[in-house]
Amino acid sequence: AKFSKWWRQEFKAGDLPTEGLVYDYFLEGSVSETGVASAVWRPWTDTVPEYDYQPEQQMRDRLVETAQTRSMHYLMDLFLKNRDPFMLAGMAGTGKTSLVVSKLRGLSEEAYLHQIVNLNYYTDTMQLQMMMEKNLEKKVGKNYGPTGNKRLVYHIDDLNMAQVDLYGTQAPITLLRQHRDYTSWYDREKLTLKHINNVQFTACMNPTSGSFTINERFQRHFSVLAVDFPSDEDLKTIYSSIVTGHFNQGFSGKILTAPSPALPSECGYGSCISLDRYGSTLAVSDCESVCVYVQGDGGRYTLEDSVSWPSAPLSPSTPHSLAVHGSDLYLVSGGDLYTSHRVAGDGYAPWSQLQRVPFDEGYLEALAGGFTHIFL
């Protein structure tokens, strides 16, 4: 916010829109038929495509585009085009790795190869060099490179997680810096130089874990982009897009019709989305319940866990609601009460019917005393 304020004061003649921050806009240039060049400021939100829901994708592989991801992808395109190494830095859970991996997977297979290298506390230079040489082949003389004329993009994840030695250095980073400085490293057996050509580096790191920082002589080679947590509006877009896509797969239009209303300000996670009592719209609920419903980390239930089980007794035309008690899920559908419990190592047991209950206001009062999370 401070930089945005400084920018507006420094460049008052730039005609930048007054709404939001300077990061929310980009300058789009064009040339008219008469050859006159012009440029206008456009918000990144104008470039966000509609989310294409793929039922076979795992939750961890889904990427819903937002204004922030569009701006990041634009910058990553420039870095890759100009062969400039770049690094994304941010807290855990901000989607750094997902952003880079989605970009690398979208590169032309005819021109690019990519390899993801995960560093950890026990990674040493021998292991790192062996991993990085997997996609290299010998060229002429001492030169090595990827197959054909392709360019190999290395993505180094958790860059700062390697062990710090007594001298304050990290051996894997020293090997990477050697390549960035001299485009080579040594053959471990012959002790001769290997010139590694036609490769490029990207990286991600969490500055609040591992060694917190990395060697400045190595970091200077990278353009560093800060990745922040998604805003409330972005989280609302992400979760509503996933839930909408899921219920558009084989469910009638009565089940899902519209996104949720405004998010509550007290929501700690930013996005609180669940099905309402009659399954006709997306409704705002308490944050703890919804995070259990849509997130898959920390022991919480994913969307697939709670809704997409093949044995789940859900019907597109039957009103239903879901409750969570400990590690068990309870479903009221069509006047019947069902349960499914977590089985260690095997996911969840099939739904089993407990008893018949009327689907009315009274069942919530009867069940609420024993349940910690209830979905209407």
Side-chain angles (χ1 to χ4, degrees):
K2 291 182 179 180
F3 177 81
S4 180
K5 183 178 179 180
W6 171 85
W7 179 282
R8 292 183 185 279
Q9 293 175 347
E10 191 73 15
F11 302 98
K12 296 181 180 180
D15 296 329
L16 188 68
T18 58
E19 296 82 7
L21 303 175
V22 295
Y23 309 108
D24 299 331
Y25 300 90
F26 69 98
L27 196 61
E28 183 179 59
S30 61
V31 179
S32 65
E33 296 180 354
T34 59
V36 178
S38 61
V40 294
W41 291 103
R42 287 187 57 199
W44 285 109
T45 52
D46 289 353
T47 68
V48 177
E50 184 177 353
Y51 176 61
D52 182 20
Y53 182 83
Q54 302 293 333
E56 66 279 1
Q57 277 186 322
Q58 296 292 325
M59 184 68 75
R60 62 178 178 271
D61 296 327
R62 302 189 190 280
L63 178 64
V64 180
E65 292 276 20
T66 63
Q68 183 186 41
T69 63
R70 294 298 292 176
S71 62
M72 288 291 179
H73 281 162
Y74 174 79
L75 293 174
M76 286 190 284
D77 282 336
L78 294 179
F79 292 136
L80 291 170
K81 179 181 179 181
N82 293 283
R83 304 195 176 197
D84 293 328
F86 63 88
M87 178 195 306
L88 301 189
M91 303 284 284
T94 53
K96 304 181 298 296
T97 301
S98 297
L99 284 172
V100 178
V101 171
S102 67
K103 173 53 62 180
L104 296 181
R105 288 176 177 173
L107 296 175
S108 170
E109 295 183 357
E110 298 180 357
Y112 290 91
L113 291 174
H114 72 271
Q115 181 178 350
I116 300 174
V117 179
N118 295 285
L119 297 189
N120 57 59
Y121 182 82
Y122 299 101
T123 305
D124 57 27
T125 55
M126 175 69 79
Q127 295 171 332
L128 177 59
Q129 185 170 335
M130 290 177 61
M131 287 188 289
M132 297 179 67
E133 289 183 351
K134 286 182 178 180
N135 290 311
L136 299 177
E137 63 180 19
K138 185 175 175 58
K139 303 293 185 178
V140 179
K142 299 179 180 179
N143 294 297
Y144 292 78
T147 304
N149 295 320
K150 294 182 178 181
R151 191 194 317 172
L152 175 59
V153 181
Y154 290 115
H155 174 61
I156 313 298
D157 205 19
D158 292 329
L159 180 62
N160 60 329
M161 290 300 292
Q163 181 182 9
V164 181
D165 61 26
L166 294 176
Y167 305 97
T169 59
Q170 294 167 286
I173 289 182
T174 302
L175 177 66
L176 295 172
R177 183 176 66 83
Q178 179 180 347
H179 179 270
R180 290 304 307 153
D181 288 342
Y182 305 105
T183 66
S184 63
W185 55 61
Y186 282 92
D187 187 298
R188 295 278 177 162
E189 296 180 357
K190 300 178 181 179
L191 301 182
T192 57
L193 277 178
K194 287 184 174 181
H195 295 282
I196 313 300
N197 303 309
N198 210 19
V199 299
Q200 182 177 351
F201 287 88
T202 69
C204 287
M205 64 172 282
N206 178 359
T208 64
S209 64
S211 62
F212 306 113
T213 60
I214 60 174
N215 189 298
E216 294 180 355
R217 297 172 67 187
F218 179 60
Q219 184 177 336
R220 66 188 175 91
H221 291 292
F222 289 83
S223 297
V224 182
L225 304 177
V227 183
D228 199 1
F229 286 104
S231 64
D232 289 355
E233 188 63 31
D234 286 343
L235 284 175
K236 175 182 174 182
T237 300
I238 293 169
Y239 289 133
S240 62
S241 297
I242 294 175
V243 174
T244 301
H246 174 78
F247 281 97
N248 281 337
Q249 305 295 314
F251 283 80
S252 67
K254 295 180 180 180
I255 295 296
L256 190 63
T257 57
S260 65
L263 299 173
S265 58
E266 66 273 8
C267 173
Y269 284 82
S271 182
C272 294
I273 301 173
S274 67
L275 294 179
D276 72 357
R277 181 175 183 278
Y278 296 101
S280 59
T281 63
L282 286 174
V284 173
S285 181
D286 80 89
C287 181
E288 188 176 11
S289 298
V290 177
C291 291
V292 169
Y293 182 51
V294 299
Q295 295 189 358
D297 59 330
R300 303 186 177 106
Y301 300 95
T302 66
L303 182 63
E304 285 81 2
D305 290 333
S306 57
V307 176
S308 299
W309 298 330
S311 57
L314 298 181
S315 170
S317 59
T318 302
H320 60 273
S321 61
L322 184 68
V324 182
H325 181 219
S327 61
D328 296 336
L329 296 181
Y330 291 84
L331 174 73
V332 176
S333 178
D336 296 328
L337 177 62
Y338 300 84
T339 184
S340 179
H341 60 277
R342 186 187 296 269
V343 179
D346 296 322
Y348 297 91
W351 288 106
S352 57
Q353 187 170 352
L354 292 181
Q355 58 182 344
R356 294 189 61 82
V357 296
F359 189 83
D360 56 25
E361 300 292 342
Y363 92 92
L364 277 181
E365 296 180 2
L367 299 180
F371 293 108
T372 54
H373 315 298
I374 292 182
F375 297 88
L376 300 179

